[in-house]
Amino acid sequence: MQQLSGKEVAVVGGGPAGLLAAQRLAEAGCRVHLYEAQATVGRKFLVAGHGGFNLSNAEDATLFAGRYAHRAPDFRRFLAHFSPTDLRAWATDLGISTFVGTSGRVFPQAHHKPADLLRAWVARLQALGVVLQVRHRWLGFGPNGALHLRHEATGEQTTVRPAATLLALGGASWAKTGSDGAWLPELERAGVPVRHFAAANCGAEVAWSEFFREKVGRQPLKNVALSCAGATVRGEIMLTDYGLEGTPVYALTPQVRAQLAIGGPALLHLHLKPDLSPAQLLDKLARRKPGKSVASFLGEALRLGPPVPTLLRELGPATFPAAPSEAAALLANLPIPVTSLRPLDEAISTAGGVAWEALNEHLMLHARPGTFVAGEMLDWEAPTGGYLLQGCFSTGAWAARGLLQWLEMS
Ligand SMILES: Cc1cc2nc3c(=O)[nH]c(=O)nc-3n(C[C@H](O)[C@H](O)[C@H](O)COP(=O)(O)OP(=O)(O)OC[C@H]3O[C@@H](n4cnc5c(N)ncnc54)[C@H](O)[C@@H]3O)c2cc1C
């Protein structure tokens, strides 16, 4: 047993939540040991970097907190403690300037690569004295706050006893980055209430006909609106040979999941011309001349070129309705039956993990006083758009604050 002395604390998990927590704890004077199972830290953070690297969002605080749905009241607190403005200042302090895109999303300036940010961050942690112990997998708890660890290269097992611990072990998608969710049964065994993982921000599967798959393959539908169970999201979707991808599909994952849970399929409704008012759409459809083919009429009058006619034939009635009102209803409300969500490992994020009833307001486990939890391993979900990373940063900072207060009191 290695007794870590005084203010020696352990952070387990080297994703954005754990790294930020380690930084805050080290800045407050703790001697931090960061244990990471992989050979390097921040692997999923780098994966996020390949897809645009959307760090946060510049939208108003109330709207922002609302992105975390029923956890909004908690996230209001976390975001007030480490806000999107704080995140941008943090990046600037590491030499990485950011900008707000037209959609309100916050990105690093184009000349800063994700690896530049991670490299600067790791250098800062080392300068603060954080001891980065990579290839160290947390296996479970021992008595009196002890942590069992295994060196992934040598297989050697050790036990350490820090003054306090912060777990930031991530969700359960993209297992190759280290976020394999294998910690969940271990916490369950330790008496911590958990929720099983579910895919969030992922594609949806549709049982297309063979004809559709071959003809359409992979094609975008731009500027559409997608609805499910009363929620509507605008944007671009991608038709693929297995179903649908794209921001509106990802954002509706909670609604689709809920419908599938009560016995699928779940129904998405597609509006192909959301910029037109119902009257405008009707007016355009009323101008259709007899004899004009559906495909050329849709292309010319409504700029609905391929693959829309094929999609309408696949999901709509056998013949395009002659009555303008029926045609308008079809274009504004095309039902798409979803048979399932894409596999967990492909998802951008996961719902499930440590249940909120397991935690006090400082994100400390009731079952393990002195052990705090942050990041995606907590049971929350949010859409893409910078809300995921910001949520991890903010919970990391909040849990670090709780840990510091706990150390002062103990
Ligand atoms: C393709 C993709 C694109 C994304 N793009 C964006 C984006 O643009 N914007 C955005 O906001 N979010 C994005 N995300 C989501 C974001 O990357 C995650 O929400 C975030 O990385 C989660 O941070 P975390 O620190 O909670 O966990 P993780 O980043 O998953 O880190 C957890 C760490 O814990 C380690 N670990 C796990 N178990 C153990 C153990 N037993 N012992 C020791 N270490 C362990 C893992 O190896 C891992 O390094 C994207 C995700 C994906 C997959």
Side-chain angles (χ1 to χ4, degrees):
M1 163 89 65
Q2 191 189 344
Q3 176 77 51
L4 301 180
S5 67
K7 282 195 172 177
E8 287 198 90
V9 298
V11 172
V12 192
L19 294 176
L20 191 81
Q23 183 174 350
R24 304 283 275 206
L25 293 168
E27 283 166 349
C30 292
R31 174 102 168 120
V32 183
H33 295 255
L34 188 140
Y35 301 102
E36 162 58 51
Q38 297 292 309
T40 52
V41 296
R43 291 191 172 198
K44 196 183 249 184
F45 189 63
L46 290 181
V47 167
H50 294 313
F53 214 19
N54 182 194
L55 285 175
S56 186
N57 200 293
E59 77 187 2
D60 148 89
T62 309
L63 258 182
F64 205 121
R67 303 291 179 178
Y68 302 87
H70 63 290
R71 300 314 321 176
D74 302 296
F75 275 84
R76 211 166 288 133
R77 261 182 303 136
F78 308 149
L79 291 164
H81 179 62
F82 190 84
S83 67
T85 309
D86 294 330
L87 198 159
R88 295 185 69 187
W90 163 85
T92 307
D93 183 48
L94 289 176
I96 306 293
S97 46
T98 57
F99 72 98
V100 180
T102 43
S103 58
R105 294 173 181 223
V106 172
F107 300 96
Q109 293 288 358
H111 58 281
H112 297 307
K113 300 290 162 242
D116 297 337
L117 174 49
L118 187 60
R119 208 174 300 116
W121 197 0
V122 168
R124 174 64 58 86
L125 292 174
Q126 285 169 334
L128 285 164
V130 174
V131 184
L132 292 176
Q133 313 232 46
V134 293
R135 292 200 170 95
H136 279 72
R137 178 172 292 277
W138 172 76
L139 299 176
F141 296 114
N144 304 320
L147 306 174
H148 298 309
L149 301 160
R150 181 182 66 222
H151 193 284
E152 292 294 73
T154 63
E156 190 191 338
Q157 296 202 6
T158 50
T159 300
V160 297
R161 193 187 292 154
T165 295
L166 194 150
L167 298 177
L169 303 169
S173 69
W174 286 69
K176 66 178 180 195
T177 62
S179 317
D180 56 13
W183 49 265
L184 190 119
E186 198 45 53
L187 279 188
E188 208 171 10
R189 258 194 295 280
V192 175
V194 293
R195 300 266 175 281
H196 289 281
F197 293 115
N201 290 304
C202 65
E205 297 194 355
V206 181
W208 303 125
S209 66
E210 205 49 49
F211 169 78
F212 184 87
R213 258 191 226 120
E214 271 168 27
K215 177 137 195 209
V216 173
R218 190 178 171 86
Q219 289 195 54
L221 286 176
K222 297 193 175 172
N223 200 13
V224 296
L226 202 61
S227 308
C228 186
T232 299
V233 185
R234 296 277 299 258
E236 175 176 327
I237 63 171
M238 182 68 75
L239 302 173
T240 71
D241 59 352
Y242 55 77
L244 305 170
E245 293 281 341
T247 306
V249 185
Y250 304 157
L252 293 170
T253 317
Q255 288 80 2
V256 171
R257 194 193 306 125
Q259 285 202 5
L260 290 170
I262 52 170
L267 270 191
L268 288 170
H269 291 270
L270 178 65
H271 195 322
L272 288 154
K273 293 302 291 179
D275 285 334
L276 294 182
S277 70
Q280 286 170 323
L281 183 58
L282 206 55
D283 182 52
K284 285 194 184 275
L285 287 163
R287 289 164 198 250
R288 185 178 165 202
K289 301 263 185 313
K292 185 112 184 150
S293 81
V294 174
S296 23
F297 170 68
L298 290 176
E300 285 163 24
L302 288 158
R303 282 191 274 139
L304 292 174
V308 171
T310 318
L311 182 68
L312 294 173
R313 261 200 311 278
E314 175 81 3
L315 298 171
T319 47
F320 190 72
S325 60
E326 283 175 39
L330 186 67
L331 296 182
N333 204 14
L334 184 68
I336 310 182
V338 171
T339 53
S340 62
L341 290 170
R342 290 296 284 169
L344 188 64
D345 197 47
E346 264 183 36
I348 290 175
S349 61
T350 46
V354 175
W356 290 86
E357 66 263 29
L359 304 155
N360 73 8
E361 72 272 26
H362 304 291
L363 298 179
M364 185 174 84
L365 293 173
H366 292 302
R368 286 265 152 191
T371 300
F372 295 75
V373 184
E376 202 181 313
M377 71 181 289
L378 293 165
D379 180 21
W380 55 273
E381 62 181 312
T384 56
Y387 310 108
L388 299 169
L389 281 174
Q390 179 71 53
C392 294
F393 277 86
S394 295
T395 54
W398 183 263
R401 171 188 184 267
L403 189 153
L404 290 168
Q405 287 176 353
W406 191 83
L407 281 182
E408 262 171 41
M409 286 173 356
S410 43

